[in-house]
Amino acid sequence: MTTKTLSKDVFNIKDMNLWYGNFHALKNLHLTIPEKEVTAIIGPSGCGKSTFIKTLNLMVNRVAGVRVSGELLFFNDKNLLSKNVDLVKLRKQVGMIFQKGNPFPQSIYDNVAYGPKIHGVKKKQILDEIVETSLKKVALWEEVKDRLNSSALGLSGGQQQRLCIARTIATKPDVVLMDEPTSALDPIATMRIEELIAELKDQYTIVTVTHNMQQAARISDQTAFFLHGEIIETSDTNSLFSMPKDRRTEDYITGKFG
Ligand SMILES: Nc1ncnc2c1ncn2[C@@H]1O[C@H](COP(=O)(O)OP(=O)(O)OP(=O)(O)O)[C@@H](O)[C@H]1O
Ligand SMILES: [Mg+2]
């Protein structure tokens, strides 16, 4: 007898709206983010991509005057928008990577050990193990193992971005959000991050924003096309790029605007 693990939904977004003051930035969003898949968010500048992914870990709530309504179910359990949410726990479960690697001005080792330390890991031996495994997972270990105590700011842009991914996965999140993780990188560093994303999805659910259509097509399982704060179309990535259902999606992916 075979047992098949049913894939779970990590986020279930229903009728979500967001306002910055009077500005209606996200409109009636419906989207399901399946576990251990890569979801790509595409769309022209200003359409709400960053706003959207920052709602998933409630980071957007830091903005003064922001208001969010609707449902954002996390593992079909709690609506993150209505209940009291433990933000420290949520940020551990939902990590985030930004456009430019933003390591702390500390050593390579301390950047990776930071999260586990905050969450109570004290033993040097365990921290050493976490640092090594995390750096190996992002294929940075060989490059930095002899200079773990040097400043992270001395690394190249691509190395810094991989370090930030190592820092994020060191706390074993369920989800990794990425906002244009390769837009500041050269093609080779970009390719390494794309390969890394492909490997990480065995263990993690990834939601990534990208302006690069080829990248979305290469790395994602599902793609959502945003326009003026709305989701125009969501499909499995192959269908969205080969047979877009909406004219606006077709115009965007064929470069007619953007
Ligand atoms: N803190 C804020 N206060 C008010 N309006 C904001 C704020 N942040 C974003 N916006 C507005 O919300 C809309 C969506 O912005 P967002 O940054 O989510 O777009 P984006 O799709 O990520 O764009 P880009 O591709 O340029 O990064 C824009 O009109 C933007 O001006
Ligand atoms: Mg953005």
Side-chain angles (χ1 to χ4, degrees), residues 20-21 23 25-26 43-52 54 63-64 99 179-180 209 211 226:
Y20 290 115
F23 178 65
L26 297 178
S45 184
C47 69
K49 303 179 298 296
S50 298
T51 300
F52 171 70
K54 283 188 288 187
V63 178
Q99 191 166 13
D179 195 352
E180 301 189 48
V209 169
H211 270 126
F226 278 59

Side-chain angles (χ1 to χ4, degrees), residues 19-168:
W19 292 263
Y20 290 115
N22 292 326
F23 178 65
H24 198 178
L26 297 178
K27 299 170 188 158
N28 311 101
L29 304 190
H30 290 262
L31 185 65
T32 299
I33 309 277
E35 189 176 40
K36 295 184 183 155
E37 290 194 5
V38 178
T39 296
I41 308 295
I42 62 167
S45 184
C47 69
K49 303 179 298 296
S50 298
T51 300
F52 171 70
I53 68 163
K54 283 188 288 187
T55 59
L56 300 181
N57 64 354
L58 303 184
M59 214 174 111
V60 80
N61 295 11
R62 287 183 196 167
V63 178
V66 90
R67 189 160 65 84
V68 197
S69 72
E71 273 187 27
L72 172 59
L73 291 183
F74 189 43
F75 285 112
N76 278 317
D77 179 19
K78 54 182 157 211
N79 179 5
L80 298 180
L81 303 181
S82 72
K83 292 204 181 162
N84 283 339
V85 177
D86 178 346
L87 284 181
V88 175
K89 186 168 166 220
L90 180 69
R91 302 274 156 75
K92 179 178 183 299
Q93 289 172 294
V94 185
M96 181 142 180
I97 309 289
F98 299 89
Q99 191 166 13
K100 274 199 91 185
N102 53 342
F104 307 132
Q106 292 168 358
S107 70
I108 294 168
Y109 183 99
D110 286 341
N111 263 274
V112 185
Y114 176 83
K117 272 188 189 162
I118 285 205
H119 293 286
V121 182
K122 290 198 183 75
K123 273 201 172 153
K124 168 106 172 46
Q125 191 198 341
I126 296 179
L127 288 169
D128 286 354
E129 270 170 37
I130 295 175
V131 169
E132 181 171 343
T133 334
S134 307
L135 289 170
K136 278 184 173 158
K137 220 168 254 165
V138 302
L140 196 55
W141 177 250
E142 287 305 319
E143 289 160 63
V144 302
K145 64 178 183 203
D146 300 322
R147 49 170 170 147
L148 292 176
N149 293 318
S150 318
S151 169
L153 303 182
L155 297 172
S156 73
Q159 288 172 327
Q160 290 192 14
Q161 194 57 298
R162 276 181 283 146
L163 178 67
C164 290
I165 297 175
R167 182 176 72 189
T168 299

